[in-house]
């Protein structure tokens, strides 16, 4: 084993120096690792390496991915884990797949930047799936806040047999003691404002493992949900690589839906081989969509505060983006239910959206109060609905 990075990684490092600079019209500040964490056991990565590469799988005969076994090619265990999971999924896809020739030279990177973004791009013969550290951390902050409010509700202690955290308990707790959670909501919203302005947040949640109220089942649910949501983002971008050509303009709505569908199929493959992902196979995509909705809401408010939205047409464009995102949320659910006959999966996904929507609505209440409006959570949602996903007043 050498300390020399693989060409695909070395090339990314050189390209990223340009892409993350002002010359690419984005001001991005380095966002160091300083937030809630997911613990990776060394044996977990080692076992995954053996499982992915030791079956004499066709993918690794056709394409050289030996570099993915070398630790020096990754900046964090999470980065290496997701790279291995992408390869694990691709190796399960038949070589008869019409896009099989695109399966080579795919590299996953977590870019240390305060710009919350996920993207895929090509450079020379290499294809890159990138999720920024800001996006990874925002997912963690969102879920940490959800769990913190849930833990204070006492529901965790009241039902030791509960299989997962409940949005209903979070809703009840926020309705009963709204002022109790002002600090937690303010921290999450501040994180969103900071990333909206490409700045590093000053206050981030502490490690989840140190929270005195977090029981073992909350800690056990936290890690898989974070990993699952991060992987879903990566699979969405992988979907763009497999299904679309690359261009300098933004992806259109049709392409985003097609990438969601590809991510759905690939995520189900990943869950079938991994009991950790199987435990959150519906809620992890729901978390990923919910975090994006939450951040987009905060970003719109930041633009209004910073006066970068100055006329009704600009606001109409922002709200159209939200409408299209809600359509993606619905289409994803229908695609899973109709194509995989996984009605239970689709219902669990919808239930997860309901749970996490409580935190979106609570943040909206906080923002409206900050703007001087007297608003309660019950003004936006009467209760988490299992039949139809509620929409916030915009």
């Amino acid at each position: 084993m050498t300390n020399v990075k693989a060409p695909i990684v070395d090339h990314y490092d050189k390209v990223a120096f340009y892409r993350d600079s002002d010359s690419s019209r984005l001001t991005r500040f380095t966002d160091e690792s300083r937030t809630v964490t997911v613990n990776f056991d060394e044996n977990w990565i080692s076992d995954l390496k053996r499982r992915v590469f030791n079956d004499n799988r066709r993918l690794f005969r056709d394409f050289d991915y030996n570099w993915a076994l070398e630790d020096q090619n990754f900046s964090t265990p999470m980065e290496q884990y997701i790279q291995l999971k992408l390869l694990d999924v691709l190796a399960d896809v038949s070589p008869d797949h019409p896009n099989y020739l695109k399966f080579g030279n795919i590299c996953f990177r977590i870019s240390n930047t305060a710009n919350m973004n996920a993207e895929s791009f090509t450079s020379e013969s290499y294809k890159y799936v990138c999720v920024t550290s800001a996006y990874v951390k925002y997912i963690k902050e969102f879920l940490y806040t959800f769990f913190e409010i849930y833990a204070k509700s006492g529901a965790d202690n009241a039902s030791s047999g509960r299989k997962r955290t409940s949005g209903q308990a979070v809703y009840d707790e926020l309705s009963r003691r709204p002022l109790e959670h002002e600090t937690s909501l303010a921290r999450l919203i501040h994180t969103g404002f900071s990333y909206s302005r490409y700045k590093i947040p000053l206050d981030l949640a502490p490690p989840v493992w140190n929270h005195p109220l977090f029981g073992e089942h909350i800690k056990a649910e936290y890690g898989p949900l974070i990993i699952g949501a991060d992987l879903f983002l990566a699979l969405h971008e992988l979907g763009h690589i497999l299904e679309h050509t690359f261009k300098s303009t933004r992806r259109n709505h049709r392409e985003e839906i097609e990438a969601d569908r590809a991510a759905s199929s690939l995520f189900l493959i990943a869950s079938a081989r991994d009991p950790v992902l199987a435990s959150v196979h519906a809620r992890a995509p729901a978390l990923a969509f919910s975090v994006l909705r939450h951040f987009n809401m905060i970003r719109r408010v930041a633009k209004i505060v910073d006066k970068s939205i100055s006329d009704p047409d600009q606001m109409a464009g922002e709200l159209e983006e939200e409408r299209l995102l809600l359509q993606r949320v619905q289409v994803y659910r229908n695609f899973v239910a109709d194509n995989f006959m996984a009605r239970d999966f689709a219902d669990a996904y919808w239930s997860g959206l309901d749970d996490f929507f409580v935190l979106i609505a609570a943040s909206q209440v906080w923002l409206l109060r900050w703007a001087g409006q007297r608003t309660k959570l019950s003004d936006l949602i009467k209760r988490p609905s299992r039949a139809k996903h509620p929409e916030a007043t915009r």
Side-chain angles (χ1 to χ4, degrees):
M1 180 184 297
T2 67
N3 291 322
V4 178
K5 291 183 179 180
I8 193 171
V9 176
D10 185 59
H11 182 76
Y12 173 83
D13 291 342
K14 295 173 182 176
V15 171
F17 181 79
Y18 165 76
R19 291 177 63 84
D20 293 348
S21 70
D22 288 345
S23 58
S24 64
R25 297 181 297 168
L26 286 175
T27 303
R28 299 179 176 185
F29 299 87
T30 299
D31 190 20
E32 301 296 341
S33 180
R34 182 172 56 86
T35 184
V36 285
T37 57
V38 176
N39 285 352
F40 275 86
D41 188 286
E42 290 183 7
N43 294 330
W44 197 8
I45 297 293
S46 298
D47 290 345
L48 183 56
K49 288 179 183 178
R50 286 192 293 270
R51 190 180 75 193
V52 172
F53 282 89
N54 282 4
D55 292 339
N56 193 30
R57 301 161 93 177
R58 170 73 178 270
L59 179 76
F60 305 117
R61 299 198 302 272
D62 293 340
F63 306 105
D64 181 12
Y65 276 109
N66 286 329
W67 60 266
L69 293 168
E70 305 297 335
D71 295 345
Q72 72 268 15
N73 289 316
F74 302 94
S75 58
T76 65
M78 174 70 88
E79 190 175 63
Q80 186 172 22
Y81 172 83
I82 293 183
Q83 176 71 56
L84 292 170
K85 289 304 299 181
L86 293 183
L87 295 180
D88 194 28
V89 170
L90 289 174
D92 267 355
V93 178
S94 169
D96 295 330
H97 190 282
N99 293 319
Y100 183 74
L101 293 179
K102 293 184 178 182
F103 285 18
N105 282 341
I106 296 174
C107 179
F108 174 77
R109 297 284 92 180
I110 295 178
S111 176
N112 282 325
T113 164
N115 177 39
M116 185 170 150
N117 190 35
E119 62 180 344
S120 52
F121 67 93
T122 61
S123 181
E124 296 185 359
S125 61
Y126 302 126
K127 300 177 282 289
Y128 296 102
V129 171
C130 301
V131 177
T132 65
S133 56
Y135 211 147
V136 173
K137 291 176 183 179
Y138 202 75
I139 292 172
K140 293 175 181 177
E141 290 287 324
F142 182 94
L143 190 60
Y144 185 99
T145 305
F146 180 86
F147 279 165
E148 188 171 45
I149 298 170
Y150 172 81
K152 289 181 179 179
S153 73
D156 195 27
N157 299 325
S159 66
S160 58
R162 187 186 297 274
K163 293 183 178 180
R164 63 172 179 78
T165 47
S166 163
Q168 181 66 59
V170 173
Y171 173 84
D172 292 342
E173 173 65 13
L174 286 167
S175 300
R176 184 170 61 250
R177 298 188 297 177
L179 298 180
E180 177 80 13
H181 308 288
E182 288 282 304
T183 301
S184 297
L185 290 170
R187 184 186 63 231
L188 174 62
I189 291 168
H190 166 74
T191 300
F193 274 125
S194 297
Y195 286 147
S196 296
R197 295 159 175 158
Y198 311 115
K199 296 180 179 179
I200 301 172
L202 297 177
D203 184 26
L204 291 166
V208 66
W209 321 107
N210 297 339
H211 200 298
L213 295 180
F214 285 3
E216 289 304 315
H217 102 261
I218 286 182
K219 295 175 182 178
E221 189 178 358
Y222 171 84
L225 275 172
I226 293 295
I227 293 168
D230 290 345
L231 179 61
F232 183 78
L233 287 176
L235 291 173
H236 172 93
E237 296 303 328
L238 180 61
H240 284 308
I241 289 177
L242 301 181
E243 301 293 335
H244 304 132
T245 57
F246 287 89
K247 53 189 179 182
S248 58
T249 57
R250 291 185 61 181
R251 298 287 181 188
N252 60 43
H253 185 51
R254 176 186 58 78
E255 290 174 325
E256 294 296 347
I257 287 179
E258 289 172 349
D260 288 339
R261 289 172 173 171
S264 173
S265 301
L266 296 171
F267 197 78
L268 286 176
I269 293 173
S271 299
R273 290 180 60 89
D274 190 331
V276 172
L277 291 175
S279 68
V280 294
H281 70 298
R283 281 166 67 82
L287 174 62
F289 279 122
S290 298
V291 168
L292 183 55
R293 285 196 67 190
H294 189 275
F295 178 73
N296 283 350
M297 177 181 69
I298 301 300
R299 182 179 52 80
R300 285 195 297 274
V301 175
K303 285 185 175 183
I304 294 171
V305 171
D306 297 341
K307 301 188 185 314
S308 58
I309 295 180
S310 56
D311 62 62
D313 288 341
Q314 288 178 308
M315 178 55 73
E318 292 287 331
L319 295 180
E320 176 64 8
E321 285 194 20
E322 172 68 2
R323 186 190 70 80
L324 293 177
L325 177 56
L326 284 173
Q327 189 176 90
R328 285 174 57 191
V329 168
Q330 174 72 62
V331 168
Y332 180 86
R333 188 263 183 196
N334 292 343
F335 175 76
V336 171
D338 296 342
N339 289 273
F340 301 107
M341 294 191 298
R343 188 68 59 178
D344 291 343
F345 175 101
D347 290 345
Y349 161 74
W350 212 245
S351 177
L353 288 170
D354 279 344
D355 286 343
F356 297 130
F357 179 76
V358 176
L359 193 54
I360 297 174
S363 298
Q364 193 171 19
V365 168
W366 192 98
L367 290 167
L368 290 170
R369 286 177 179 168
W370 176 60
Q373 297 186 33
R374 296 174 61 86
T375 308
K376 298 183 295 183
L377 188 58
S378 59
D379 294 333
L380 300 184
I381 48 176
K382 299 304 180 184
R383 64 183 302 276
S385 168
R386 296 299 180 223
K388 182 178 181 181
H389 182 51
E391 293 186 18
T393 304
R394 293 192 286 268

